Amino acid sequence: MTNKRIYKKIRRTGIGGTLVAVLIFAVITVSVLLVAGQQLIAYIIDTKMSAEYEALEKMADMYERLESSGEADVYGYLDMYERDYIILDGEGKMIHAKGEDTRSGNGIRIGIGTYINNVEAFADKDFSVIYPVERGRIALDPIAFISWFRHDIIKPLDESLDETASADAEDVRERLGSGSAGRQSFGFYGEDDRVIYLVSEDGKVVGGALPVWLSVNMDDKGLKLIGKAMFGVKLRDMEVMGIIAGVIALVIVLLSLYLIIHALVEMVRQRRVTSYFFRDAVTGGNNRMFFQIKGEELLKKMRNRNKNYAVVDIELVNYRNYVVSHSLKQGEALLRKVYRLLEKNTHSKNERCAHMTAPTFGLVLRYISRNGLEMRLNGLLELLEKVDKDHKFAFQAGVKLIDRGEDAESTNIVPWKELDIDEEYNKACAAREVLAVNDETGFAVFNDQLVKDRQWLDTVQEKQAKAVENEEFIVYYQPKYDPKTDELRGAEALIRWQSPEFGFVTPFRFIPIFEKNGFITEIDHYMLAHVAADQKRWLDAGFKCVPISVNVSRAHFIESDLAEQIRDIVDAATCPHELIEIELTESAFFDDKKALIETINRLKGYGFAVSMDDFGAGYSSLNSLKDMPLDVLKLDADFFRGTSDDGRGEIVVSEAIRLAKNLNMRIVAEGVEVKEQVDFLASEGCDMIQGYYYAKPMPGTDYEQRMIQG
Ligand code: C2E
Ligand code: CA
Ligand code: CA
């Protein structure tokens, strides 16, 4: 969780701050440059403006003069260079320009063609000045550049300009409509639709023209003349403007370049930083952080509906012991080998592989069928076992499946948005821990039962102390009978949990938990004390008591004074020792053999009989029999569960009985349910039978009846 946060923080701080700073800087610089440039251009234009006004006034005079002289239907344009005007007649023909009468027909209407769309222009007779008109609307600037400046530059502009202008435009359109000279191209052109360049007759660019609106008062009655002046810009001015525009463009380009380079450098830096974050110090491969970030990314990106994913935890069993008996260096070399093997066996793009903690590795694997995945895992584990040719290692894996799942209840369906790889990996680890009871290679898949088991485990651990305190554990007795005479010969004390919350709980559901968490020691004492107290009570009440065996878990045998502890507990109830028998499970015989023999001898010295429980189940203990001075051998219920009818089971049983007899041990057969078995065991000389055929485990009060019956 924290890893993910750290990673996100790096990603964020990397480019964010600088990017914002550079952007702010860029915006400010560009704005300042634009404003400065605008001011400069405005200044240049302003210095020329006064002359324009003069010219316009001159034109107004002329207009009045023409009108009063009876030459109606004229329209005036202001010329640019000569500060003059042109006058068109009703047919659009130029009748006056540059203070001269041009009625000879030199002024003509021309088209600018593709350079400035739909813009027509008038040229004077020398073609040195042009007057753009768009669709006959004089008011409309053909030039974006001008409209951009219009409001700033032409401050005295009348607000009714547009109206007036379009009225004029209508007027002019009518006048131009007839008798126009048709479209011709001539030696000027517009570029970028912005500036109209003026080209002299020998093909030289001599300037550019910007149309500018001007208005002047015509008379005292408030009549105004609005004229459009082509404000000429000399090449030199244009160069200045060009340089300003160039500088602005250059600054913008440089800034953008800086921004891009900066972003790239940041990206590279980030890559490097994240690659350090993802690098595992031991294996040189991917680490846990990588698994968390890139694994989750992969799982979330997974949109391929045919592919399911499995999060896998693989542990090298007993790694710590290997390091202790070899060296850390060798241990880490081994981890490197394991990592390389895993990496080789995972798809580099669609799967993930990482070294998590010292002995564990994390994988994200793709699979199609669960069968396929299991086969692949088995193959992988097999390869891993042989990772070192001199040494065979065990590997255990836990698997958490993430799929669409046919079963809606399944824990395998994880909504993509809620998917947290840490949680999924933790579940894989939980599944692996189920295997930790032994050191064998294998894998376990996380399932719903595992969740329930885990919850149950937590509940039991939480309640255990209180349950003992409240005497919720009760002792059941299962009688043992002599199969020849059907007489009661003994009993085994078996624990039951009468929980106010969960009801009657069988020992299979809590004894293994106590065995793991160590609480079994307390339980065994509890049982022993209760059995001793019961026996003493029954003895005093005159019952015909027989020995009762009590289970003592292997966890107990680490305590060197176990025999004394048992003796003290039984003595506290003043119960005769011969009425108590101690059952040890077969697995206990694997630990410290010498200490075990010692304990058995001491127990026997105190007068307790000692029996070996579950003989023949799981572990082979024939060898331990020769050293263990046991009194009783309990044949495991497994012997009587088989369905073999070829007589082999019976041979084993009769041989086991003979073996016990020869070693001077009594023999008890457990889990006997049918009469044929009883008869067989009787004929073979089995001393006692403890099984449902005779009796199920029962409460003390029922057991009292059994004692009475004998
Ligand atoms: P166990 O010591 O092998 O106990 C014998 C189990 O076999 C008992 O199960 C008993 O009810 C069952 N059994 C006896 N005869 C038959 C039969 O004919 N058919 C079948 N199907 N089962 C039969 P239970 O009481 O459920 O105990 C299970 C295990 O729990 C015990 O196996 C023992 O390992 C453990 N356990 C029970 N009580 C204690 C205790 O007080 N302390 C310790 N440490 N473990 C205990
Ligand atoms: Ca037992
Ligand atoms: Ca048993």
Side-chain angles (χ1 to χ4, degrees), residues 480 492-494 549-552 583-585 611-614 634 670 690:
K480 299 169 191 167
E492 179 179 2
L494 293 160
S549 59
V550 179
N551 292 284
V552 173
E583 284 193 19
L584 307 175
T585 51
S611 62
M612 184 199 271
D613 200 359
D614 300 342
K634 293 190 82 179
E670 280 190 293
Q690 176 192 345

Side-chain angles (χ1 to χ4, degrees), residues 415-687:
W416 298 109
K417 278 193 191 135
E418 289 162 29
L419 198 143
D420 182 335
I421 196 166
D422 288 336
E423 267 181 43
E424 300 304 314
Y425 178 69
N426 191 54
K427 284 173 185 164
C429 293
R432 198 231 330 122
E433 273 165 22
V434 172
L435 305 173
V437 285
N438 63 47
D439 291 347
E440 284 163 41
T441 295
F443 69 85
V445 180
F446 182 89
N447 57 31
D448 299 348
Q449 188 56 43
L450 218 117
V451 181
K452 287 184 196 134
D453 289 352
R454 186 70 227 182
Q455 285 163 345
W456 174 248
L457 178 86
D458 291 341
T459 314
V460 169
Q461 310 218 102
E462 196 189 304
K463 309 268 174 195
Q464 58 189 28
K466 261 256 158 334
V468 165
E469 210 183 295
N470 299 342
E471 300 257 324
E472 287 171 26
F473 295 110
I474 45 179
V475 186
Y476 266 44
Y477 293 97
Q478 186 177 29
K480 299 169 191 167
Y481 284 93
D482 182 333
K484 280 209 181 89
T485 60
D486 289 347
E487 275 176 281
L488 181 73
R489 281 289 156 83
E492 179 179 2
L494 293 160
I495 194 167
R496 297 293 179 263
W497 183 8
Q498 187 63 57
S499 159
E501 230 174 304
F502 311 110
F504 196 79
V505 188
T506 101
F508 289 115
R509 298 204 62 204
F510 58 89
I511 291 291
I513 295 174
F514 294 159
E515 275 173 347
K516 251 192 219 156
N517 70 13
F519 195 66
I520 193 70
T521 322
E522 206 145 320
I523 288 294
D524 285 351
H525 285 169
Y526 178 98
M527 289 294 284
L528 190 62
H530 279 73
V531 171
D534 277 354
Q535 285 284 55
K536 169 69 178 161
R537 189 164 47 81
W538 288 326
L539 197 63
D540 292 350
F543 284 100
K544 196 170 151 262
C545 290
V546 286
I548 294 178
S549 59
V550 179
N551 292 284
V552 173
S553 155
R554 75 185 273 192
H556 247 116
F557 279 82
I558 41 164
E559 289 164 31
S560 54
D561 62 342
L562 178 66
E564 285 66 37
Q565 285 181 28
I566 291 173
R567 180 200 60 195
D568 293 349
I569 291 167
V570 176
D571 285 350
T574 59
C575 167
H577 294 185
E578 65 270 18
L579 289 183
I580 300 292
E581 187 179 310
I582 301 300
E583 284 193 19
L584 307 175
T585 51
E586 204 180 358
S587 53
F589 295 79
F590 272 96
D591 295 336
D592 187 346
K593 219 167 173 179
K594 249 173 96 184
L596 186 66
I597 295 170
E598 173 71 30
T599 303
I600 294 171
N601 277 326
R602 296 237 289 278
L603 281 169
K604 289 183 65 166
Y606 296 131
F608 299 108
V610 182
S611 62
M612 184 199 271
D613 200 359
D614 300 342
F615 178 76
Y619 303 89
S620 159
S621 47
L622 278 178
N623 193 36
S624 25
L625 281 184
K626 79 179 187 325
D627 306 315
M628 303 284 167
L630 296 158
D631 302 290
V632 180
L633 196 67
K634 293 190 82 179
L635 280 186
D636 191 75
D638 254 9
F639 284 113
F640 309 101
R641 238 174 251 143
T643 46
S644 77
D645 40 26
D646 58 357
R648 293 170 71 94
E650 287 169 357
I651 293 169
V652 174
V653 169
S654 60
E655 286 307 312
I657 294 172
R658 256 190 28 188
L659 178 73
K661 295 257 157 200
N662 288 337
L663 291 169
N664 276 328
M665 296 160 82
R666 272 167 289 139
I667 190 144
V668 178
E670 280 190 293
V672 176
E673 295 184 355
V674 290
K675 178 146 184 7
E676 292 81 67
Q677 289 170 336
V678 176
D679 292 344
F680 169 72
L681 288 163
S683 69
E684 291 297 317
C686 178
D687 301 290

